[in-house]
Amino acid sequence: MEAISKNFFLYLSNNSTFDRLAKRFGSKFGADRIVGGETFPMAIPLIKQLNHEGLAVTVDHLGEFVNSETEARARAQEGIETIQAIASHELNSEMSLKLTSLGLDINRELVIENMEKILEEAKKYGVTVTIDMEDSSRTKATLDIYKELKTRYDALGTVIQSYLYRSEDYVEELNEYNPYLRLVKGAYKEPGTVAFPDKRMVDENLKGLIKKNLLNGNYTAIASHDDAIIDYTKQLVKEHGITNDQFEFQMLYGMRYQTQLNLLKEGYKVRVYMPYGEDWYGYFMRRLAERPANITFALKGMFTK
């Protein structure tokens, strides 16, 4: 049943018709509990509150189905304005983005141009940018662009997904770039030819990636709500004498808040991934696919005021 529900919500996440309908109903589906708002200004008070509690943040302007150059350039401008707002409000926040929102499916030159504009602004204000990873059909293109840009922009990170067979190879390939990597399990529907079908294998692979990147001496973001992964990381850094300034835990906005605070009390750095924007639908569906418990969470949001 769990596999069926996961496949169902992953299918819905790629449906552009439902995406358009979702924009009309928004918070009725509980989206306001895991999304910071439809615009970045709406998210600013929430970020300030999280910062006040000691939590760092990374924001992501949600976007699915960007297929025009005009829209891709508009997304880049939004990114620039977000960086400026982070600086002007003195927020403890990084920015995450997807290359498809900047034109990856249109042409490579457009993405590079948009990324350069964003990264120049980020460099000016000292804001770190992380390139989110998408489905496996875009992994190579994403990493190639990351490598090219990382040679010129140091405060740039990317994401590796442990459900892919080649994840360990990717971590090794990136090592020479002294990468800032966010390590995650992965939330897209993938064929068995490229991804582990078994959750246990995905979990074990994630542990291996965490160990490899940390022992390589690279900054690592462990993006997981899984207690077993969190405990593994704590034990690993203790055994190898890795200091707390070489890694951080990352969790989604609106989920496991008390765990975030507990980790802070233990002396660990915690960053909250806060998405915002009208195009919240695809993100929301993938969160429902990840954990059956999130479905109940969403239904409560639909029927409570």
Side-chain angles (χ1 to χ4, degrees), residues 287-302:
R287 300 294 77 77
L288 295 183
E290 284 176 342
R291 296 179 66 241
N294 290 345
I295 299 172
T296 302
F297 177 84
L299 290 174
K300 287 181 179 178
M302 291 170 64

Side-chain angles (χ1 to χ4, degrees), residues 10-57:
L10 287 175
Y11 164 76
L12 291 180
S13 73
N14 290 314
N15 190 295
S16 57
T17 299
F18 284 127
D19 177 59
R20 290 192 297 272
L21 289 173
K23 291 177 182 178
R24 295 177 55 190
F25 299 103
S27 61
K28 291 183 180 179
F29 292 96
D32 57 343
R33 300 191 183 190
I34 60 172
V35 176
E38 293 185 355
T39 66
F40 186 67
M42 292 173 66
I44 289 174
L46 300 175
I47 297 171
K48 286 184 175 181
Q49 179 60 36
L50 292 172
N51 288 169
H52 178 72
E53 292 165 353
L55 295 161
V57 174

Side-chain angles (χ1 to χ4, degrees), residues 87 121 166 171:
E121 201 72 11
R166 291 207 58 206
V171 171

Side-chain angles (χ1 to χ4, degrees), residues 16-207:
S16 57
T17 299
F18 284 127
D19 177 59
R20 290 192 297 272
L21 289 173
K23 291 177 182 178
R24 295 177 55 190
F25 299 103
S27 61
K28 291 183 180 179
F29 292 96
D32 57 343
R33 300 191 183 190
I34 60 172
V35 176
E38 293 185 355
T39 66
F40 186 67
M42 292 173 66
I44 289 174
L46 300 175
I47 297 171
K48 286 184 175 181
Q49 179 60 36
L50 292 172
N51 288 169
H52 178 72
E53 292 165 353
L55 295 161
V57 174
T58 185
V59 295
D60 184 359
H61 184 199
L62 296 171
E64 307 279 335
F65 314 114
V66 173
N67 51 24
S68 76
E69 184 172 323
T70 299
E71 187 175 2
R73 293 187 187 281
R75 293 283 183 170
Q77 183 58 36
E78 165 70 21
I80 290 170
E81 292 172 3
T82 296
I83 289 168
Q84 293 169 344
I86 288 172
S88 65
H89 289 274
E90 299 182 334
L91 304 176
N92 180 3
S93 179
E94 299 179 353
M95 186 175 77
S96 299
L97 50 78
K98 289 181 173 60
L99 293 186
T100 50
S101 71
L102 301 177
L104 183 64
D105 294 342
I106 301 171
N107 67 69
R108 192 176 191 276
E109 291 72 21
L110 177 62
V111 176
I112 296 294
E113 178 186 339
N114 284 334
M115 279 298 297
E116 287 175 338
K117 291 178 180 178
I118 290 170
L119 292 173
E120 284 295 328
E121 201 72 11
K123 185 176 182 180
K124 182 190 306 182
Y125 292 108
V127 176
T128 297
V129 175
T130 295
I131 300 174
D132 282 337
M133 191 56 69
E134 302 178 68
D135 63 81
S136 62
S137 68
R138 300 178 174 96
T139 301
K140 184 179 185 305
T142 299
L143 292 181
D144 286 347
I145 290 172
Y146 173 75
K147 292 174 184 176
E148 178 179 338
L149 294 171
K150 188 64 166 66
T151 61
R152 291 180 280 143
Y153 302 97
D154 186 57
L156 180 64
T158 193
V159 178
I160 299 296
Q161 301 161 315
S162 72
Y163 67 178
L164 297 179
Y165 296 137
R166 291 207 58 206
S167 296
E168 185 175 356
D169 294 336
Y170 294 142
V171 171
E172 196 59 43
E173 287 174 17
L174 292 173
N175 186 42
E176 65 179 284
Y177 297 88
N178 188 28
Y180 165 18
L181 295 182
R182 178 191 299 153
L183 302 177
V184 304
K185 294 182 183 181
Y188 290 86
K189 182 173 175 57
E190 302 285 3
T193 53
V194 301
F196 294 106
D198 181 70
K199 179 183 181 298
R200 180 185 59 81
M201 299 175 74
V202 175
D203 292 351
E204 288 304 308
N205 200 35
L206 179 56
K207 292 177 182 178

